[in-house]
Amino acid sequence: MMKQSDNSGVLASDETREATAFRLFTFFGSQSVRSACYQLLLAALLVGFSYWLYSNVVENLHAQRISTGFGFLHQPAQFAIGETLIPYSANDTYTRALVVGFLNTLYVTLCGIVLATLLGFLVGIGRVSKNWLLMKVCVTYVELLRNVPVILHVIFWSMVIRNLPAPRQAIALPGGFLTNRGLTFSVPAAHSGWQWTLLALLAGCVLSLLFSLLARYWRERRSKVLPTGRIRFALIIALPLLVWWLSGAPHALNTPELRGFNFRGGFTISPEFTALLLGISLYSSAYIAEIVRAGIQSVPKGQLEAARALSFSPWHVMRHVVIPQAMRVMVPPLASKYVSLAKNSSIAVVIGYPELANISNTMMSQTGQALEAIAIMMVVYLVISGTTSLLMNLFNRYVAIKER
């Protein structure tokens, strides 16, 4: 009896081990588990390699008696910046100088995206026009601009602006003057009414966007159409005009006047900013035009024939039939082009516009902290590119046609 009990205990333990081995084999034999293990192994190798590379760099820098760290950011910058969106002086820290460069980069990027998108859409629509002359002009525009490197665009416009007349022989424009020192034009004089009007305009744009989302929800979920055109017009146009009228209807302008060798008053767009903006915007607009052309041509012809059969005008066909369907094709490559435009802003170092890369180069030459400066630039451009991609992905979800 004892021997039989021992045999049964051995058999039970063997079965337990076999069951455990089978469960482990089943667990690690799963494709998802193997994929997760491989990814964890790869992540560990990348972390180890990065740590080894960082330690090697730090050791070499210490051997050459070069200090490391970001403590220098609290030291005075001791250099001036020609264009700033916030107050800045040479006694401010390197941190504030980098903030100035970041804001300048963001400013020229946003302006470039707006200008490139407008030009790209106009040229892209012209590419599919039935007017032979307009179509050929748009084709020439695209082929000429996109086959020239972007840095040559920036240098070309910088040379063009530098060869404009001096302020005493300025080219008169409606409300301003064009010289080799930039474009100077009239702006509203300082008045609280203009500030409230601007705030009303921003609030109207936000409310208009929210109302569009609400109208789309009602149209898709409840099959009810809201009068979006009139309400959005009231929010964006009528609301700022009402605020402007209630705040006293200010109309005084700060006009530029020639005093000495330059203009005083008004607002001046510098030659460096203008050259950079035109260079990266025109170059990107050629690619955006091709993206728009491809998106428009992706719309089935049956949709166009149905819209014409319903007596839609060409404007309504493009606005309500073609563009909404083409946006599904256009948004992903547009996001890539916007990210590329943001990174192309670093070309400003060749013409002296004080954006992030230019200021970082000056900081490196003064402090010798090349590794830290490059790391800061990499993180900033990564944040700009990631934010742009995130916003475009959200916009892509908004324009996507959802099946019921």
Side-chain angles (χ1 to χ4, degrees):
M1 295 295 293
M2 183 65 68
K3 184 179 294 185
Q4 185 177 1
S5 177
D6 293 340
N7 290 335
S8 62
V10 171
L11 291 175
S13 62
D14 291 341
E15 292 177 357
T16 303
R17 285 195 296 268
E18 290 178 359
T20 304
F22 178 76
R23 285 195 296 269
L24 290 176
F25 176 78
T26 305
F27 178 76
F28 288 103
S30 173
Q31 183 178 357
S32 59
V33 174
R34 289 201 310 269
S35 177
C37 292
Y38 294 151
Q39 293 181 31
L40 290 175
L41 178 61
L42 179 60
L45 291 176
L46 290 176
V47 170
F49 176 75
S50 301
Y51 178 76
W52 172 82
L53 186 64
Y54 173 77
S55 302
N56 190 26
V57 170
V58 171
E59 183 179 353
N60 291 333
L61 289 176
H62 282 302
Q64 297 178 10
R65 297 182 179 180
I66 299 177
S67 61
T68 58
F70 295 91
F72 70 96
L73 294 176
H74 302 290
Q75 300 175 3
Q78 298 299 325
F79 64 87
I81 300 177
E83 290 186 60
T84 62
L85 297 177
I86 59 175
Y88 171 83
S89 66
N91 295 325
D92 288 328
T93 62
Y94 284 112
T95 301
R96 192 168 185 84
L98 290 173
V99 171
V100 171
F102 168 72
L103 293 178
N104 286 343
T105 299
L106 199 61
Y107 179 51
V108 73
T109 298
L110 293 177
C111 294
I113 287 175
V114 173
L115 181 58
T117 302
L118 292 176
L119 292 175
F121 265 80
L122 292 177
V123 177
I125 294 174
R127 287 277 280 111
V128 296
S129 173
K130 295 182 179 180
N131 187 306
W132 182 87
L133 179 60
L134 177 61
M135 186 266 292
K136 290 299 180 182
V137 169
C138 293
V139 170
T140 304
Y141 176 93
V142 171
E143 296 299 330
L144 179 63
L145 294 184
R146 73 173 181 172
N147 290 308
V148 177
V150 61
I151 189 172
L152 294 183
H153 282 283
V154 176
I155 295 176
F156 169 77
W157 287 108
S158 178
M159 294 175 59
V160 169
I161 295 173
R162 292 298 182 184
N163 285 282
L164 290 174
R168 290 185 178 275
Q169 293 82 32
I171 301 175
L173 299 175
F177 301 93
L178 182 62
T179 68
N180 58 2
R181 300 187 182 183
L183 176 63
T184 304
F185 53 90
S186 302
V187 294
H191 192 281
S192 60
W194 291 116
Q195 299 177 0
W196 286 109
T197 303
L198 179 60
L199 291 176
L201 177 61
L202 295 177
C205 292
V206 173
L207 293 176
S208 175
L209 177 60
L210 295 177
F211 181 75
S212 298
L213 295 175
L214 177 62
R216 180 172 182 174
Y217 172 81
W218 278 63
R219 183 175 65 252
E220 294 179 351
R221 300 295 178 87
R222 303 187 181 183
S223 300
K224 294 183 179 180
V225 179
L226 298 178
T228 57
R230 298 176 182 177
I231 296 179
R232 295 181 66 180
F233 176 83
L235 292 173
I236 298 177
I237 304 298
L239 179 61
L241 288 177
L242 177 62
V243 173
W244 174 78
W245 180 72
L246 293 176
S247 58
H251 58 276
L253 297 178
N254 183 7
T255 57
E257 297 180 359
L258 181 62
R259 297 179 183 177
F261 297 99
N262 203 355
F263 287 97
R264 297 290 184 271
F267 184 80
T268 300
I269 301 178
S270 69
E272 295 81 10
F273 175 83
T274 305
L276 178 63
L277 178 63
L278 290 176
I280 62 178
S281 299
L282 294 177
Y283 177 77
S284 300
S285 67
Y287 286 91
I288 293 177
E290 287 297 279
I291 293 172
V292 173
R293 176 194 60 79
I296 292 175
Q297 291 181 341
S298 69
V299 178
K301 293 184 179 179
Q303 298 286 330
L304 305 180
E305 295 173 355
R308 296 191 186 102
L310 294 173
S311 300
F312 279 22
S313 65
W315 161 252
H316 284 89
V317 172
M318 184 64 66
R319 170 67 180 84
H320 297 288
V321 178
V322 177
I323 296 299
Q325 298 185 69
M327 289 301 294
R328 295 178 297 170
V329 179
M330 291 190 292
V331 170
L334 277 178
S336 176
K337 182 47 59 180
Y338 289 161
V339 171
S340 177
L341 187 147
K343 292 183 289 188
N344 285 338
S345 64
S346 60
I347 298 175
V349 295
V350 301
I351 59 173
Y353 179 70
E355 48 78 53
L356 181 65
N358 196 350
I359 293 177
S360 298
N361 287 338
T362 304
M363 184 178 65
M364 281 191 289
S365 64
Q366 288 187 350
T367 62
Q369 306 289 333
L371 183 64
E372 290 80 358
I374 293 175
I376 291 173
M377 284 191 289
M378 291 175 62
V379 171
V380 171
Y381 281 112
L382 179 62
V383 170
I384 293 176
S385 301
T387 304
T388 304
S389 300
L390 176 62
L391 294 177
M392 291 302 294
N393 287 334
L394 294 176
F395 181 69
N396 190 28
R397 293 182 182 179
Y398 171 72
V399 299
I401 298 178
K402 301 178 178 61
E403 299 292 340
R404 294 187 178 180

